[in-house]
Amino acid sequence: MRWNGWLGLATLALGLVAAGPTSAQSYRVAPVASVAGEALQLHIGGRVARIGEGDDTVYRSQWPGTYYETAFHGREVVFRLGAGDVRLEVTVDGQAMALTRPAAGLQRIDGLSDGDHRLRIQIISENQAAPVDFGGVFGVPARDGGAPSRDRQIEFIGDSHTVGYANTSSDRTCSDDTVWETTDTAAGIAGVLSGRYDADYQVNAISGRGVVRNYDGAPKDTLPQAYAFTLFDKQVWYAEADWHPQLIVIALGTNDFSTALKPGERWSSREQLTADYQVAYAGFLRGLARRNPGATLLVWGLEDSDTERAGRGVVDRLVAEDGLSVRFVPVPALGLNACHWHPDVVDDRIVADTLAAVIDANPAIWTPGALGAETVSAH
C-alpha cells in the first residue's frame, strides 16, 4: 500500500544517544512525502484509542510512556505522526535517537544494513494538554518474525515521580519548557524496572495529581478519577483484553500533602485530609485488586514522609481486613536534584533498585496468586 502524507516544514531536532550493545549501526530519521510498503504488525505498550481501520488506523494516546514495537526487513522503514508537540525515543536494534517536536506526517528511518531490524518508538514526554496520534509503521515485514511477545507485565500508577518529571535535568529551577524537554518516562522508574525484567508496562500517572487532593488544591481530576479512562477527556472507558499485569506499582500521596490547605477546600485540618486520603486510597487499591485478580500490589513512598505514614496505614488495613496481596515498600531519602525538587535519573534508579530488591526476593510475584499478603520492608 502507498500512503501520501503532508510533509511538515518544521525542522527535526535530533539527538543521537550512544548505541546499545547490540548494534553500532547508525541511521537517520527525516520527513518523507510518501511510502511504499504495508502496515506492519505492532506490539503496543500503554493505553491507546484506535481510530479508523487498516492502513489508516490512528493510535491515540495520552498516558505517559506509550510505545510501539515492530520488526521489519530492509534498509528503511517509515512511520507516521499526527500533529502536536511530542518527544519520542526511536530505537533500532538497540540504538536510540531522541526526536523533539518532529514534524507531523511521514518520517523515514534509513541508512540501515540490508536485513531484519527491531524498532521501538516510545513517547517520552508528558502530554497532559492534548493526546498524541501515531499512524503506524510501514515497510517490509521481518523474515524472522514480527513484533515481540512478553510474558511479564507491570503497571505503574502515580504522579510526577512515576512520570519521570524533568528527570534528566540537573537544575531545580526550571521553566515549563525545560520541564517538558527534560522529562523522559523511558529513563524513569517504569522504564528502568521494566527493562530489568523484560516486561511490558503501562505508566498510568499524571504530574500534580493526588488521591483526593491535587497539588496546591488544583481543581482537576484526581488520579483515581482519571484512571478508568483511555484518554483524559473521559469519553471511553479503558478495556484491554490482553492486559493482565502480575505486578502493579503504586505511589500516590505526594500531591495530597505537599502543599498547605487553602480556604475553601473541603478539609479544615491535616487530620481530616489524611483520613479522607486513607479511605479513598484503600478503595482505589481494592478496585485494582478486583480488576486484576492474582496481581501483587507494591505501594511505595519515601521514608519518614506523610506519604509513608498514611500509605503504610492503608496497606496495613488492607492486609488485615481484606487479605490482599499488597505490600508497602519504603524508599530511602533521594537527592531530588531535578526541576522543582523532583527525582532525577539517579533517584529513579534508587527507587527501581529498592523495588527490585523486593521483587527478586519474591519471585512468586510473577506467578499470579502465589504470593501471600503482607507488609514488608526493603531493608
Side-chain angles (χ1 to χ4, degrees):
M1 299 289 293
R2 176 176 291 272
W3 185 87
N4 293 312
W6 173 72
L7 179 58
L9 299 178
T11 301
L12 285 175
L14 306 183
L16 186 60
V17 181
T22 59
S23 174
Q25 171 72 49
S26 63
Y27 59 92
R28 300 178 297 271
V29 181
V32 65
S34 61
V35 61
E38 63 182 88
L40 300 179
Q41 177 187 359
L42 295 177
H43 178 74
I44 301 175
R47 298 181 174 188
V48 301
R50 293 167 174 81
I51 302 168
E53 297 180 354
D55 290 4
D56 295 322
T57 300
V58 171
Y59 304 91
R60 180 166 294 168
S61 67
Q62 198 164 13
W63 294 94
T66 302
Y67 56 90
Y68 304 91
E69 295 178 301
T70 192
F72 65 94
H73 182 83
R75 300 180 183 276
E76 64 180 44
V77 72
V78 171
F79 62 93
R80 180 174 48 167
L81 296 176
D85 289 346
V86 67
R87 292 185 67 240
L88 303 175
E89 183 178 80
V90 177
T91 305
V92 181
D93 299 336
Q95 183 179 350
M97 176 181 287
L99 305 182
T100 299
R101 296 186 173 92
L106 295 167
Q107 304 288 338
R108 180 172 62 198
I109 302 172
D110 64 9
L112 298 166
S113 61
D114 189 15
D116 283 348
H117 302 280
R118 297 290 182 268
L119 171 66
R120 180 183 178 111
I121 299 173
Q122 178 153 14
I123 298 169
I124 60 175
S125 55
E126 186 173 16
N127 299 279
Q128 284 196 38
V132 176
D133 285 353
F134 182 77
V137 181
F138 302 86
V140 178
R143 296 174 179 175
D144 63 354
S149 177
R150 301 183 180 93
D151 295 327
R152 293 175 172 177
Q153 296 179 337
I154 308 175
E155 183 167 343
F156 296 85
I157 300 173
D159 49 34
S160 55
H161 291 192
T162 300
V163 170
Y165 178 103
N167 57 345
T168 65
S169 73
S170 56
D171 193 339
R172 288 172 173 161
T173 303
C174 306
S175 66
D176 290 344
D177 284 344
T178 298
V179 169
W180 187 84
E181 291 167 358
T182 58
T183 294
D184 189 338
T185 304
I189 298 163
V192 171
L193 192 66
S194 299
R196 180 175 181 136
Y197 299 105
D198 189 28
D200 277 316
Y201 65 97
Q202 286 189 3
V203 182
N204 298 319
I206 310 175
S207 294
R209 308 301 174 89
V211 175
V212 295
R213 180 176 185 265
N214 297 323
Y215 180 81
D216 201 31
K220 300 178 180 179
D221 287 334
T222 62
L223 196 288
Q225 288 171 332
Y227 175 80
F229 300 94
T230 303
L231 302 173
F232 296 174
D233 61 9
K234 300 192 294 185
Q235 295 300 302
V236 178
W237 294 91
Y238 174 72
E240 179 58 63
D242 294 332
W243 184 245
H244 304 289
Q246 299 99 338
L247 177 62
I248 305 176
V249 177
I250 311 107
L252 286 168
T254 300
N255 292 305
D256 295 83
F257 300 112
S258 62
T259 53
L261 292 169
K262 298 188 298 185
E265 293 194 66
R266 70 175 189 265
W267 307 277
S268 60
S269 68
R270 196 80 162 184
E271 290 73 23
Q272 286 184 356
L273 172 61
T274 299
D276 199 7
Y277 166 90
Q278 289 185 315
V279 170
Y281 205 5
F284 182 60
L285 295 177
R286 286 191 183 102
L288 289 174
R290 284 195 302 269
R291 286 189 293 272
N292 302 277
T296 295
L297 279 59
L298 293 186
V299 178
W300 69 270
L302 296 182
E303 289 180 340
D304 195 29
S305 68
D306 287 334
T307 303
E308 181 193 11
R309 287 184 285 272
R312 186 184 288 277
V314 171
V315 170
D316 289 345
R317 176 181 172 184
L318 292 177
V319 171
E321 297 180 2
D322 297 66
L324 296 186
S325 182
V326 54
R327 300 178 170 216
F328 188 85
V329 182
V331 170
L334 303 176
L336 304 179
N337 292 313
C339 296
H340 308 141
W341 294 79
H342 276 76
D344 60 12
V345 290
V346 175
D347 291 335
D348 288 338
R349 289 191 173 275
I350 291 172
V351 176
D353 288 346
T354 303
L355 293 167
V358 176
I359 297 168
D360 291 344
N362 299 278
I365 281 175
W366 302 116
T367 305
L371 190 62
E374 59 180 303
T375 303
V376 300
S377 170
H379 306 296

